């Protein structure tokens, strides 16, 4: 894993006046990200130790764990163990949070390798992260509006870090030669509208009537559809091109599939910081939900404000 500090990323964050502790946590995530990318690049190449494929065990979600899920989780944890400001670490892959130090100012929550079931087919995957203030030892159950930073690392055709710290959204590209993240774009703004929706239509018969009504509208209004099945890839496209990404409630999953604290909240924070919207649907903005459990799920409707509104008008 990258041992050196990503100097260019550090300099941008310092120039923005970010708190030293917060910078430390973000740099730890960035270091883990380049370590995860290196592991992904080596997948299938390690003689006798293939790192693709599923383990014989399931995570706290009951989902089959991929070997790389566990490796990514361990890389994140070890990066944070070296970070003085990290008080605790919570992950999709762990039932309980890991306490790191009593005097840390921040909590890091993550989906270490989102979309990992796509690795076998070389589709984009990502690390989603959320940074909360640590007013108390395990104050993980805070509304997403309290986040101090959030974003994702996208392992795709290039290695990207998308980061929001409360003053807009920045896009960094990882330079493999320099072992650093270079600022490529600042103040990303999600387009106000774009006739594109992104959801898994295989569940059409399972969606509530309002979603079916929205899809009938979209089909008749000339919308196009894109769905990678990897949240980081689908949200990143929505952030850059506009449109709406949905993972609604279904009869089988009445709270939806995506987890509030380390998938929906960070993505909602980024989307709102980029001028977009992020709603649970009937429950209102994602960032206003007060969590009751670490791994609770929520319906997700996020993207261009006008496109999110279009969905909500059909749910009413
Ligand atoms: P489905 C990947 O497993 C994931 O957690 C997200 O990355 C993605 O948006 C969603 O699940 C895809 O779920 O039910 O469409 O396969």
């Amino acid at each position: 894993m990258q041992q050196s500090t990503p100097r260019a990323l550090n300099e941008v964050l310092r120039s923005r006046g970010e708190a030293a502790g917060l910078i430390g946590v973000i740099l730890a995530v960035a270091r883990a990200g380049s370590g995860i990318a290196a592991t992904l690049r080596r997948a299938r190449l390690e003689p006798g130790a293939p790192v693709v494929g599923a383990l014989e065990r399931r995570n706290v979600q009951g989902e089959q764990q991929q070997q790389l899920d566990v490796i990514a989780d361990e890389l994140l944890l070890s990066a944070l163990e070296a970070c003085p400001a990290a008080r605790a670490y919570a992950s999709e892959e762990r039932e309980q949070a890991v306490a790191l130090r009593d005097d840390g100012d921040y909590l890091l929550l993550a989906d270490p390798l989102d979309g990992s079931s796509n690795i076998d087919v070389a589709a984009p995957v990502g690390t989603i992260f959320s940074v909360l203030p640590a007013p108390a030892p395990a104050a993980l159950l805070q509304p997403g509006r309290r986040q101090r930073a959030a974003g994702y690392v996208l392992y795709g055709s290039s290695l990207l870090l998308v980061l929001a710290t409360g003053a807009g959204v920045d896009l960094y590209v990882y330079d493999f030669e320099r072992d650093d993240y270079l600022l490529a774009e600042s103040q990303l703004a999600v387009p106000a509208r774009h006739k594109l929706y992104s959801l898994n239509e295989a569940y059409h018969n399972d969606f509530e009537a309002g979603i079916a009504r929205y899809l009938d509208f979209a089909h008749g209004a000339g919308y196009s559809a894109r769905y990678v099945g990897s949240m980081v890839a689908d949200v990143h496209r929505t952030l850059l091109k506009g449109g709406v990404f949905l993972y609604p409630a279904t009869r089988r999953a009445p709270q939806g599939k995506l987890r509030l604290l380390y998938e929906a909240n960070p993505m909602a924070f980024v989307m709102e910081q980029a001028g977009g919207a992020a709603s649970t649907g009937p429950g209102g903005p994602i960032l206003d939900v007060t969590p009751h459990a670490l791994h609770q799920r929520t319906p997700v409707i996020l993207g261009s404000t006008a496109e999110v509104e279009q969905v909500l008008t059909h749910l009413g």
Side-chain angles (χ1 to χ4, degrees):
M1 180 172 73
Q2 176 184 33
Q3 296 309 322
S4 63
T5 295
R7 290 167 45 87
L9 172 59
N10 187 25
E11 279 155 29
V12 170
L13 295 173
R14 286 162 60 93
S15 71
R16 298 278 170 82
E18 299 294 355
L22 182 62
I23 292 175
V25 173
I26 293 168
L27 294 179
V29 173
R31 270 195 293 273
S34 43
I36 292 166
T39 306
L40 288 171
R41 270 199 316 280
R42 302 292 306 159
R44 298 183 182 84
L45 299 177
E46 303 300 334
V51 286
V52 296
L55 296 168
E56 289 309 311
R57 64 187 203 222
R58 294 182 176 274
N59 63 15
V60 64
Q61 325 289 337
E63 293 165 351
Q64 191 156 37
Q65 273 186 313
Q66 305 291 319
Q67 294 183 55
L68 282 163
D69 286 325
V70 175
I71 295 170
D73 181 55
E74 291 298 336
L75 284 170
L76 263 174
L77 177 58
S78 58
L80 289 164
E81 283 168 339
C83 175
R87 184 167 204 161
Y89 168 62
S91 149
E92 175 182 322
E93 304 305 329
R94 295 168 186 266
E95 186 144 10
Q96 307 293 333
V98 179
L100 296 171
R101 52 177 50 77
D102 293 343
D103 57 352
D105 294 326
Y106 299 98
L107 305 166
L108 194 284
L109 303 92
D111 179 355
L113 200 57
D114 174 71
S116 54
S117 53
N118 291 297
I119 291 171
D120 294 9
V121 297
V125 292
T127 296
I128 308 173
F129 63 93
S130 169
V131 184
L132 286 169
L140 290 157
L141 304 184
Q142 301 176 55
R145 210 148 308 270
R146 301 280 317 271
Q147 292 173 102
R148 292 289 185 269
Y152 53 87
V153 182
L154 173 59
Y155 312 104
S157 48
S158 50
L159 175 50
L160 304 178
L161 167 64
V162 171
L163 174 65
T165 59
V169 181
D170 291 329
L171 169 67
Y172 297 83
V173 181
Y174 183 72
D175 180 331
F176 286 84
E177 278 67 50
R178 291 174 54 178
D179 191 14
D180 203 343
Y181 290 83
L182 308 185
L183 181 60
E185 211 171 324
S186 295
Q187 297 301 313
L188 266 68
V190 58
R193 63 182 67 251
H194 182 47
K195 285 187 167 183
L196 187 147
Y197 68 84
S198 178
L199 91 167
N200 188 338
E201 289 202 69
Y203 305 134
H204 189 281
N205 298 335
D206 238 13
F207 291 139
E208 59 175 283
I211 295 291
R213 283 197 298 271
Y214 167 74
L215 290 173
D216 288 345
F217 153 78
H219 295 155
Y223 277 60
S224 56
R226 292 282 185 282
Y227 192 71
V228 178
S230 177
M231 185 185 195
V232 176
D234 284 316
V235 171
H236 188 63
R237 182 200 57 249
T238 305
L239 175 66
L240 297 188
K241 308 281 187 191
V244 61
F245 167 78
L246 310 90
Y247 205 109
T250 64
R251 268 194 287 277
R252 272 177 294 175
Q255 289 310 312
K257 172 183 183 182
L258 301 176
R259 275 61 58 151
L260 173 63
L261 282 164
Y262 41 80
E263 290 176 323
N265 271 345
M267 292 311 205
F269 189 77
V270 167
M271 206 47 74
E272 286 200 4
Q273 286 286 310
S279 174
T280 63
I286 288 171
L287 294 181
D288 293 337
V289 175
T290 298
H292 55 76
L294 180 59
H295 299 291
Q296 78 181 69
R297 301 170 192 265
T298 179
V300 173
I301 304 166
L302 59 77
S304 302
T305 305
E307 303 303 343
V308 170
E309 274 311 306
Q310 193 61 259
V311 176
L312 298 180
T313 55
H314 289 86
L315 295 187

